[in-house]
């Protein structure tokens, strides 16, 4: 399939098309309906542990449940403006970023606009995290229905609880600690719609567990490293512990299944993975923030990103997705079709980074906290 057939435009890096789609605001209102075309599958094979990797993950997940109300320090005071100044500074430094803003609205920005932009960026980012977690909640409930293996149903049921908790804590953080919500970004929304509408159970896995959850795991890691705010830091530590298991669940399940697929079937999965990658990259441009600040997003993104949109920080968010796609055999199937596409958008350099099945236990921050608490004198 061509880029136009996959994403509605010929050039994957067409800023004007990306901005136009984002500003259409299709996800406003209190309810959004997506038709779920999948069959619910019963299995009469109840042999627990037939797939050892999934069984191990399920046992881990049962021990790793946490309570968003009682395990996080919600009494922490959060001063968004002070945190913004601490992290980003009080004045925009365009020259440091290598940007010429002469003749643009950015040229007149003072500390007031700069601080507001950073606050809006945080509101927008946490809003997209929250919406994405609800997408994961729906997708994982669908996996419980549609996957034919009992070990996978058992594990996916634990993830439904995880995702409900994630929606809960991000919503509470936005409502009680930050200063505003944003609606679901159109590019992320289109991807979630596609994942939910597909009737094939493995496509739900690929779209959510590998692509959306893979990018989220990397994004949470970056935000955790950058924020000095203790409540958000703790919240992200615990969410990341869950997310690492979720991505590993996708890799473990799909590796077995994809080994049996034909070249034509794998090509379909490759195209879906590339479409998902573009949708997620496009939503990272935060078009809605520039629009709310009264700056033409096309102008701002053109100055900040250039022609190829290759922001090193944002490309790093694909550091979990690419090695996991490689482990599934998707990079090099069909003459390396997906390898070529990932090269086109500048993310192929992550192919040999660690895949999530080899790191999820090391990211179990809840277990580390419990072990530390148990070792303290009574």
């Amino acid at each position: 399939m061509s880029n136009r057939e996959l994403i509605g435009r010929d050039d994957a890096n067409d800023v004007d098309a990306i901005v136009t789609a984002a500003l259409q605001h299709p996800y406003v209102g209190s309810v959004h309906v997506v038709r779920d075309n999948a069959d619910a599958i019963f299995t009469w094979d109840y042999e627990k542990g037939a797939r050892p990797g999934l069984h191990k993950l399920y046992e881990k997940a049962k021990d790793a449940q946490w309570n968003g109300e009682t395990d996080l320090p919600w009494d922490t005071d959060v001063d968004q403006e002070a945190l913004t100044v601490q992290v980003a500074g009080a004045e925009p430094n365009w020259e440091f970023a290598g940007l010429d803003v002469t003749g643009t609205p950015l040229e007149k920005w003072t500390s007031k606009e700069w601080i507001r932009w950073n606050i809006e960026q945080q509101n927008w980012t946490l809003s997209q995290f929250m919406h994405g977690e609800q997408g994961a909640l729906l997708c994982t409930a669908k996996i419980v229905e549609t996957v034919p293996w009992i070990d996978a149903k058992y594990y996916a049921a634990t993830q439904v609880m995880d995702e409900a908790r994630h929606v809960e804590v991000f919503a509470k953080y936005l409502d009680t600690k930050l200063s505003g919500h944003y609606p679901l970004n159109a590019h992320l929304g289109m991807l979630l719609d596609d994942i939910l509408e597909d009737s094939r159970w493995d496509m739900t896995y690929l779209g959510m567990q590998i692509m959306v959850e893979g990018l989220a795991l990397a994004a949470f890691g970056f935000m955790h490293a950058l924020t000095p705010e203790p409540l958000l830091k703790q919240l992200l530590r615990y969410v990341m512990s869950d997310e690492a298991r979720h991505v590993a669940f996708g890799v473990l399940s799909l590796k077995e299944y994809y080994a049996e697929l034909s070249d034509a079937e794998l090509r379909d999965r490759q195209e879906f993975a590339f479409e998902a990658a573009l949708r997620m990259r496009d939503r990272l441009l935060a078009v809605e923030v520039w629009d709310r600040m009264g700056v033409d997003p096309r102008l701002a993104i053109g100055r900040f990103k250039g022609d190829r949109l290759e922001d090193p920080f944002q490309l790093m968010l694909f550091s979990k997705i690419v090695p996991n796609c490689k482990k599934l055999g998707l990079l090099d199937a069909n003459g390396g079709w997906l390898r070529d596409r990932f090269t086109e958008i500048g993310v192929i350099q992550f192919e040999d980074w660690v895949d999530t099945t080899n790191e999820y236990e090391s990211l179990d921050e809840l277990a580390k906290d419990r072990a530390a608490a148990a070792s303290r004198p009574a």
Side-chain angles (χ1 to χ4, degrees):
M1 294 177 69
S2 67
N3 281 352
R4 178 160 293 279
E5 291 171 309
L6 284 173
I7 57 171
R9 61 182 189 268
D10 295 318
D11 181 0
N13 302 308
D14 184 342
V15 170
D16 186 72
I18 294 169
V19 171
T20 298
L23 292 179
Q24 289 174 345
H25 302 302
Y27 297 98
V28 297
S30 59
V31 174
H32 174 66
V33 178
V34 180
R35 182 170 296 280
D36 183 342
N37 300 298
D39 295 330
I41 298 176
F42 282 90
T43 177
W44 310 131
D45 181 359
Y46 293 104
E47 183 185 355
K48 185 169 177 280
R51 289 172 171 78
L54 293 181
H55 175 67
K56 179 181 177 182
L57 205 63
Y58 174 54
E59 293 299 321
K60 182 76 172 175
K62 288 193 291 185
D63 289 334
Q65 296 297 312
W66 50 279
N67 189 326
E69 284 292 329
T70 60
D71 290 330
L72 296 175
W74 289 108
D75 58 349
T76 304
D77 181 57
V78 177
D79 184 333
Q80 259 191 297
E81 185 168 326
L83 285 166
T84 292
V85 173
Q86 182 180 351
V87 173
E91 294 285 347
N93 190 337
W94 307 124
E95 292 182 1
F96 177 78
L99 301 174
D100 179 9
V101 297
T102 305
T104 75
L106 304 178
E107 184 180 17
K108 298 179 180 179
W109 272 22
T110 65
S111 59
K112 179 181 177 181
E113 288 80 17
W114 179 242
I115 291 170
R116 183 186 162 209
W117 184 88
N118 279 285
I119 288 174
E120 292 291 340
Q121 182 75 17
Q122 187 180 32
N123 293 342
W124 178 87
T125 299
L126 270 292
S127 294
Q128 302 316 312
F129 285 169
M130 177 182 65
H131 299 314
E133 295 298 333
Q134 185 180 178
L137 174 64
L138 298 180
C139 287
T140 313
K142 181 176 178 178
I143 288 174
V144 174
E145 288 188 300
T146 59
V147 68
W149 310 325
I150 197 68
D151 283 320
K153 288 181 184 293
Y154 286 157
Y155 178 78
T158 71
Q159 188 176 334
V160 173
M161 184 63 232
D162 290 346
E163 303 299 359
R165 184 170 57 243
H166 297 176
V167 175
E168 172 198 351
V169 297
F170 279 122
K172 183 171 182 176
Y173 193 86
L174 276 160
D175 287 339
T176 64
K177 305 299 179 182
L178 300 190
S179 54
H181 286 229
Y182 277 78
L184 175 63
N185 171 267
H187 297 289
L188 177 58
M190 286 186 283
L191 174 57
L192 295 177
D193 286 357
D194 286 346
I195 295 169
L196 286 166
E197 287 173 350
D198 202 294
S199 63
R200 295 162 291 183
W201 66 264
D202 75 285
M203 291 300 223
T204 313
Y205 268 97
L206 178 59
M208 180 51 64
Q209 307 296 112
I210 304 301
M211 305 303 295
V212 176
E213 297 271 50
L215 187 139
L217 179 58
F220 295 156
F222 282 121
M223 180 170 280
H224 175 267
L226 291 173
T227 184
E229 199 281 281
L231 169 57
L232 182 58
K233 215 170 186 68
Q234 180 76 328
L235 185 159
L236 290 169
R237 285 180 70 237
Y238 282 1
V239 170
M240 286 167 60
S241 299
D242 295 341
E243 297 288 4
R245 291 195 310 275
H246 302 169
V247 179
F249 174 48
V251 177
L252 288 168
S253 299
L254 293 183
K255 191 172 189 304
E256 173 184 350
Y257 184 68
Y258 284 2
E260 305 298 324
L261 296 187
S262 68
D263 286 346
E265 290 169 323
L266 285 174
R267 176 60 178 268
D268 200 18
R269 276 72 181 171
Q270 290 175 305
E271 291 176 348
F272 191 85
F274 181 56
E275 177 187 0
L278 287 180
R279 296 288 188 210
M280 289 187 295
R281 185 205 62 175
D282 293 349
R283 72 100 167 168
L284 292 171
L285 298 178
V287 169
E288 300 91 335
V289 175
W290 291 113
D291 188 52
R292 185 170 292 188
M293 291 292 295
V295 177
D296 181 353
R298 296 168 180 82
L299 182 153
I301 292 168
R303 293 296 173 104
F304 271 88
K305 306 296 183 184
D307 293 335
R308 291 189 54 78
L309 308 179
E310 291 184 357
D311 181 293
F313 175 78
Q314 291 184 348
L315 293 183
M316 282 290 290
L317 298 179
F318 288 84
S319 61
K320 306 294 184 185
I321 290 173
V322 180
N324 287 327
C325 283
K326 183 174 185 177
K327 184 153 189 173
L328 294 176
L330 291 178
L331 277 190
D332 292 313
N334 293 297
W337 186 91
L338 187 58
R339 173 181 294 279
D340 291 343
R341 302 290 82 71
F342 279 172
T343 299
E344 178 185 352
I345 62 172
V347 299
I348 195 62
Q349 65 269 26
F350 303 118
E351 64 170 305
D352 293 322
W353 287 39
V354 64
D355 69 82
T356 310
T357 59
N358 290 320
E359 68 170 355
Y360 76 87
E361 290 187 279
S362 68
L363 293 175
D364 190 346
E365 300 299 319
L366 183 64
K368 294 174 188 176
D369 285 356
R370 288 174 175 171
S375 67
R376 295 190 195 106

